[in-house]
Amino acid sequence: MKKKLNIMFNSEQEMSIVFEKFLKENFGNTYLKECKGLFGVPDFVYYDKNEEKTELIAFELKLKDWKRAIKQAFRYKSFSNISYVVIPSVGVHLAVKNIELFRKYNIGLAGFNSLQEFEILFKPKSELPYSYNLNDKILQSFKSSKKKSKNTHFLVSQ
């Protein structure tokens, strides 16, 4: 008898641990986890720093409540250039039924599972953050970092 793989998460904490590993392996370790002092507390804020500018990508992970997640992700646009909602692959179909909301507010939607399979269902365009002050506050955290990001183009619509 073949053993069935468990690709679901038992908690958001478990999902966060697996997602952090995924970020490191695929995009580098240029991120902060659960940043406080902003407009909300995103699960991850990833940064892509180059000579011209630094782009910030916020990720909100949720096991089920995509409606709450989209509200939180919208708030993160106050300091980030891009904001994503990440939902377990097995439940993402409920959010996909409402993909027009993600498009309307330019918020990314992705499915993710414990095998580190990441599927982007809507890829947002980079925009200027709503608040220069909040954006600058978080950029100061990265200012002296020498860490290099990679594959950021995968997350941003052209």
Side-chain angles (χ1 to χ4, degrees):
M1 187 186 252
K2 220 177 186 185
K3 186 177 179 183
K4 202 172 188 182
L5 287 173
N6 181 11
I7 57 172
M8 296 181 56
F9 300 103
N10 296 314
S11 66
E12 279 186 24
Q13 181 181 9
E14 180 187 343
M15 184 179 182
S16 178
I17 291 167
V18 176
F19 190 76
E20 184 171 8
K21 185 178 176 190
F22 167 78
L23 272 180
K24 281 181 187 176
E25 290 174 2
N26 295 280
F27 301 104
N29 59 354
T30 56
Y31 63 87
L32 293 176
K33 189 174 180 177
E34 295 187 357
C35 303
K36 295 188 176 30
L38 300 167
F39 192 33
V41 182
D43 291 303
F44 294 92
V45 176
Y46 171 82
Y47 64 96
D48 179 27
K49 190 172 159 182
N50 62 47
E51 294 83 36
E52 300 154 21
K53 62 181 179 171
T54 301
E55 288 221 314
L56 301 176
I57 303 173
F59 293 94
E60 180 60 32
L61 281 62
K62 280 285 184 268
L63 288 181
K64 295 179 182 171
D65 195 350
W66 68 267
K67 289 178 186 176
R68 184 168 172 230
I70 200 171
K71 289 175 190 172
Q72 290 173 280
F74 184 79
R75 284 199 308 263
Y76 305 156
K77 291 172 63 130
S78 62
F79 62 84
S80 68
N81 303 92
I82 294 170
S83 193
Y84 267 93
V85 169
V86 181
I87 298 174
S89 301
V90 294
V92 78
H93 64 280
L94 296 171
V96 171
K97 288 180 183 177
N98 297 278
I99 198 78
E100 285 308 313
L101 281 175
F102 290 88
R103 286 189 180 113
K104 179 179 179 181
Y105 296 109
N106 194 37
I107 294 170
L109 175 62
F112 184 68
N113 65 35
S114 62
L115 299 175
Q116 295 187 29
E117 295 168 334
F118 184 76
E119 179 186 12
I120 295 175
L121 300 154
F122 175 69
K123 190 185 292 191
K125 290 186 170 118
S126 181
E127 299 177 311
L128 289 175
Y130 300 148
S131 168
Y132 171 80
N133 291 338
L134 286 175
N135 179 257
D136 190 55
K137 181 179 181 178
I138 196 163
L139 286 176
Q140 294 307 313
S141 304
F142 303 128
K143 197 171 193 160
S144 62
S145 175
K146 303 275 190 242
K147 296 177 181 177
K148 298 286 183 197
S149 57
K150 60 183 181 181
N151 300 323
T152 306
H153 64 279
F154 179 72
L155 299 167
V156 184
S157 179
Q158 300 304 326

